[in-house]
Amino acid sequence: MKQFQFEYSDSDVFLKHLSDFRDWCEANRISGKLFQIYSEVLDAEVVGSVCEDIERIFPEAPYMGCSTSGNIVDCQLSCRITVVCTVFELPATQVKLFQYDLSKEAVDDITEKILRETEQNSWVKAIEMFFTIPEGSTTRFCDGLKEIRPDIQIFGGVACSDDITSDASCVFSKMSGFSEHSILILFYGGDDFHVESINVTGWKPLGRKFHVTKSNGSVLQELDGIPAYDVYRKYLNIKNDENFFYNTLEFPLFYEHNDTTILRTPVASNADGSITVTSDMDIGSVVRISYGDPGTIVESIKHDSRKIAEFQPDLLHIFSCAARRTFWSSKEPTYEIHPFREISPSSGFFSHGEFLRTNGSLNQHNVTLVIAAMREGERKDSVDAGLMTEEDSMSRVPLVSRLATFISMTSLELEETNRELESLNEKLRKAVIIDGMTGLYNRKEIQSQIAQALSGIGKEKFSLVMLDIDNFKQVNDTFGHQEGDSVIIALANILSGKRSEHMQNVSSGRWGGEEFMMLLHGMDAASGACVADLIRQCFANTDFPEVRPQTISLGVTQAREEDTLDTLCSRVDMALYKAKKGGKNRVVVI
């Protein structure tokens, strides 16, 4: 594969360059060609003129293009309209181009067609995509391509304009011409075609974590129960006005999705305090505001440029978020991709969003750099990555970066301290309400729950079961307190529901010694008696290796509207007394 680039400023000059290039192709017997056009100009007439010139000289060659926020050639900014031609030197390499109109076809139908095409074209190894700025979420589109063969790599970018706050964008191709609402899909493949793709962020989480507590698709409504916009207002003093998008570009939301890190930039703030993003954000997702860390970006670029150099590509396609261009304004827009310049020729554009398939899932990214490396045939001579020098690396970290790191680390430490406090509070809470020996509620707690249930007796019925281990003193006297404790614990395990599916609406507590109380929510006396008898049978069938089989007696009563805590507990105690007097190992209902 080879890359040739042309700067378009005048049709006559462009046609002359194309004619010379055609002569070269004929002389070198080049048949496979692909033209890609990157344009900061969105005018349909101008773009149409470029396309007509290409079709005039190369009537059979496919071409595709999109509007951009800046064109990239060989890791540098190019002119306002840049035409790049890729020539394929091996006959097995194939490309196939499609254009789908989002205003005329449903997303599900489009993804179904793409899936079907990949099934019918087994040679496909990579899919490159150019998107116009979508009106809503891209989640449905990304999810619709999950079933594509796992060996196919997918990458691409969202078209943009020189005004990154604008929704204006376009794509165009030989298939269907100029469009403001379309997707371009390009298949690459063949036996001799190889591809590798990576993404680089370099943005680091800043400050505390937030949970998505309310969302509707791509509209993020609440974080930790407060309007999502309020997070940007409180922590970054960003106003809810026409500059909201521009001011949040460098502070996207950072979260994990589909086993990869995603940066999500809000594209709009709404009157109700919600913010709109470009993909769905599920309730329960954990997000943090992030910031660009120059040192992290540089180190990531160093690592990934080595990886790409080892692949030994013939050329690179680069999709870099327009927000990254503004981030490096203190240096130059393409500063971070300079190390890739020494690896191979490259082309691409600054985009509104980036696509990459990772771990089998296609994701749309923001504020991300996506690079696709392509090669025909086997690896050639080794290529060294143009690594940044020590002076270029951020050994002298800016003060703002140090402060951001400090804030991030102190936030993490605070979160860890809060987790430890929550764990300690939970232990203390349990110590106050839980019986240490049995793990059931203690008498004070179960009594409190009975009182609470009584306060709502008009709305929900309930019953009590009081039970006692029969002849328990003999167990302690004959076998010792250790064996006695094992009998109590065995009964507590039954009452906790570990061995019965009938205990889901039951609260159990140790009333004292070998005596227990059960609160049966929503049950009348008859149902309570059934549960009590199941417990009686279960305990009677429990094996105690050192002690003979044991039994329990149980009393049951249903709460009445005129009951007080004393009258209710006295009545169930009387029911237990009658069970004891009646011969033990039985249930008595009063």
Side-chain angles (χ1 to χ4, degrees):
M1 300 171 72
K2 284 189 172 67
Q3 173 179 295
F4 298 84
Q5 60 264 6
F6 308 91
E7 295 185 353
Y8 182 91
S9 57
D10 176 85
S11 179
D12 291 337
V13 174
F14 183 54
L15 284 170
K16 174 64 169 61
H17 289 323
L18 287 180
S19 297
D20 293 343
F21 179 57
R22 179 186 56 192
D23 294 342
W24 180 88
C25 289
E26 291 174 353
N28 289 274
R29 299 180 180 179
I30 299 295
S31 57
K33 292 174 287 294
L34 167 70
F35 286 90
Q36 291 179 303
I37 307 153
Y38 307 111
S39 176
E40 293 182 62
V41 180
L42 277 73
D43 187 284
E45 273 191 43
V46 175
V47 169
S49 177
V50 177
C51 296
E52 288 172 7
D53 288 349
I54 294 172
E55 198 152 5
R56 180 176 171 182
I57 305 300
F58 294 95
E60 303 301 322
Y63 62 81
M64 62 185 290
C66 68
S67 59
T68 77
S69 185
N71 308 326
I72 300 170
V73 171
D74 290 338
C75 297
Q76 292 183 312
L77 274 181
S78 185
C79 67
R80 286 176 59 78
I81 301 178
T82 301
V83 179
V84 176
C85 182
T86 301
V87 299
F88 304 103
E89 300 174 280
L90 299 180
T93 304
Q94 300 183 61
V95 295
K96 193 172 184 179
L97 178 62
F98 305 88
Q99 181 167 332
Y100 301 103
D101 191 331
L102 288 164
S103 65
K104 297 178 180 179
E105 296 187 72
V107 168
D108 290 346
D109 294 336
I110 294 173
T111 55
E112 178 60 32
K113 287 180 180 180
I114 297 172
L115 181 60
R116 188 163 58 248
E117 288 289 347
T118 61
E119 292 170 348
Q120 294 172 355
N121 296 279
S122 59
W123 53 269
V124 178
K125 291 184 178 178
I127 299 175
E128 185 170 36
M129 309 187 308
F130 291 177
F131 251 82
T132 53
I133 294 177
E135 292 184 0
S137 168
T138 60
T139 298
R140 196 176 187 92
F141 178 84
C142 292
D143 289 347
L145 298 184
K146 277 188 175 179
E147 300 305 316
I148 282 183
R149 291 199 322 266
D151 60 303
I152 295 178
Q153 298 202 36
I154 308 176
F155 47 84
V158 179
C160 199
S161 70
D162 56 357
D163 178 5
I164 61 175
T165 66
S166 169
D167 291 335
S169 65
C170 65
V171 297
F172 38 89
S173 77
K174 188 181 181 68
M175 303 300 297
S176 301
F178 183 95
S179 173
E180 295 178 339
H181 305 283
S182 290
I183 306 171
L184 301 183
I185 300 292
L186 180 66
F187 288 174
Y188 293 93
D191 292 340
D192 297 319
F193 180 83
H194 305 276
V195 61
E196 183 70 68
S197 56
I198 63 167
N199 71 297
V200 178
T201 58
W203 260 244
K204 295 173 65 175
L206 174 67
R208 55 166 292 195
K209 294 179 180 178
F210 299 91
H211 291 80
V212 177
T213 50
K214 187 177 181 182
S215 68
N216 183 14
S218 60
V219 178
L220 183 56
Q221 295 167 313
E222 292 183 0
L223 294 172
D224 283 355
I226 64 173
Y229 159 72
D230 284 354
V231 171
Y232 279 95
R233 176 192 58 79
K234 179 178 179 180
Y235 293 96
L236 294 171
N237 195 28
I238 293 176
K239 295 180 180 179
N240 193 353
D241 57 20
E242 67 276 6
N243 296 316
F244 177 80
F245 170 68
Y246 187 83
N247 289 330
T248 58
L249 277 177
E250 293 186 15
F251 300 98
L253 296 175
F254 178 107
Y255 75 115
E256 297 295 320
H257 180 65
N258 288 334
D259 298 322
T260 191
T261 298
I262 300 289
L263 297 179
R264 188 67 67 225
T265 300
V267 296
S269 59
N270 307 310
D272 62 357
S274 64
I275 58 178
T276 302
V277 293
T278 52
S279 290
D280 294 357
M281 296 192 75
D282 297 331
I283 293 175
S285 298
V286 178
V287 304
R288 296 171 74 177
I289 292 174
S290 65
Y291 74 101
D293 178 59
T296 302
I297 296 172
V298 169
E299 289 306 313
S300 297
I301 292 293
K302 280 185 177 182
H303 174 269
D304 290 319
S305 62
R306 291 191 186 98
K307 178 182 177 181
I308 293 299
E310 289 172 2
F311 177 75
Q312 296 177 17
D314 292 333
L315 55 86
L316 305 174
H317 281 189
I318 298 174
F319 310 90
S320 182
C321 186
R324 300 179 79 92
R325 178 179 179 177
T326 63
F327 179 80
W328 291 112
S329 59
S330 63
K331 292 182 178 291
E332 59 180 89
T334 57
Y335 168 75
E336 65 178 336
I337 57 177
H338 282 177
F340 296 98
R341 188 177 182 182
E342 303 302 319
I343 297 174
S344 70
S346 63
S347 62
F349 62 96
F350 285 101
S351 57
H352 187 81
E354 304 73 51
F355 290 93
L356 185 67
R357 192 183 197 190
T358 308
N359 301 322
S361 296
L362 178 62
N363 299 293
Q364 189 203 325
H365 296 262
N366 297 125
V367 202
T368 300
L369 170 66
V370 169
I371 297 180
M374 292 176 274
R375 185 187 74 231
E376 284 183 296
E378 298 306 313
R379 297 185 186 186
K380 305 172 182 63
D381 295 335
S382 62
V383 180
D384 292 327
L387 301 179
M388 294 182 176
T389 65
E390 187 64 27
E391 182 179 353
D392 287 332
S393 68
M394 298 298 165
S395 57
R396 296 187 296 276
V397 181
L399 176 61
V400 66
S401 182
R402 293 190 187 279
L403 289 174
T405 301
F406 172 78
I407 293 169
S408 185
M409 291 306 299
T410 52
S411 296
L412 290 173
E413 290 172 357
L414 181 58
E415 288 175 6
E416 180 61 29
T417 300
N418 286 336
R419 281 194 294 270
E420 292 174 356
L421 286 173
E422 287 174 3
S423 176
L424 178 59
N425 287 336
E426 180 63 18
K427 290 177 181 178
L428 290 173
R429 188 187 70 84
K430 287 183 177 180
V432 171
I433 67 173
I434 300 297
D435 175 68
M437 178 180 177
T438 64
L440 301 177
Y441 293 121
N442 58 28
R443 178 166 181 160
K444 182 179 179 181
E445 176 62 21
I446 192 66
Q447 190 169 300
S448 173
Q449 291 191 21
I450 295 169
Q452 185 177 357
L454 264 177
S455 67
I457 188 62
K459 297 179 181 178
E460 183 186 53
K461 61 188 174 185
F462 71 92
S463 296
L464 292 186
V465 175
M466 194 172 189
L467 57 147
D468 183 86
I469 301 173
D470 297 328
N471 306 311
F472 185 71
K473 185 175 184 302
Q474 293 180 15
V475 175
N476 280 337
D477 292 346
T478 305
F479 301 99
H481 286 279
Q482 186 172 352
E483 291 302 324
D485 289 349
S486 69
V487 173
I488 289 177
I489 291 171
L491 176 56
N493 287 339
I494 296 172
L495 298 181
S496 68
K498 293 178 181 177
R499 296 166 58 183
S500 175
E501 62 182 16
H502 303 282
M503 307 293 286
Q504 292 183 358
N505 296 318
V506 177
S507 298
S508 300
R510 189 180 184 188
W511 201 248
E514 70 276 16
E515 203 169 47
F516 296 84
M517 185 75 81
M518 298 167 57
L519 170 60
L520 288 68
H521 299 277
M523 297 189 198
D524 57 18
S527 298
C530 290
V531 171
D533 199 55
L534 286 171
I535 292 170
R536 182 192 64 79
Q537 294 179 48
C538 185
F539 185 70
N541 293 323
T542 300
D543 181 39
F544 298 102
E546 303 298 328
V547 183
R548 65 179 180 272
Q550 299 296 305
T551 62
I552 53 176
S553 298
L554 305 96
V556 181
T557 193
Q558 182 175 340
R560 304 164 188 168
E561 289 193 18
E562 66 272 16
D563 269 329
T564 65
L565 183 62
D566 287 341
T567 60
L568 180 59
C569 290
S570 294
R571 192 165 63 252
V572 75
D573 185 56
M574 178 58 68
L576 174 58
Y577 175 77
K578 287 186 176 183
K580 291 281 190 179
K581 281 292 187 181
K584 302 179 182 178
N585 191 24
R586 66 188 60 215
V587 176
V588 171
V589 180
I590 294 183

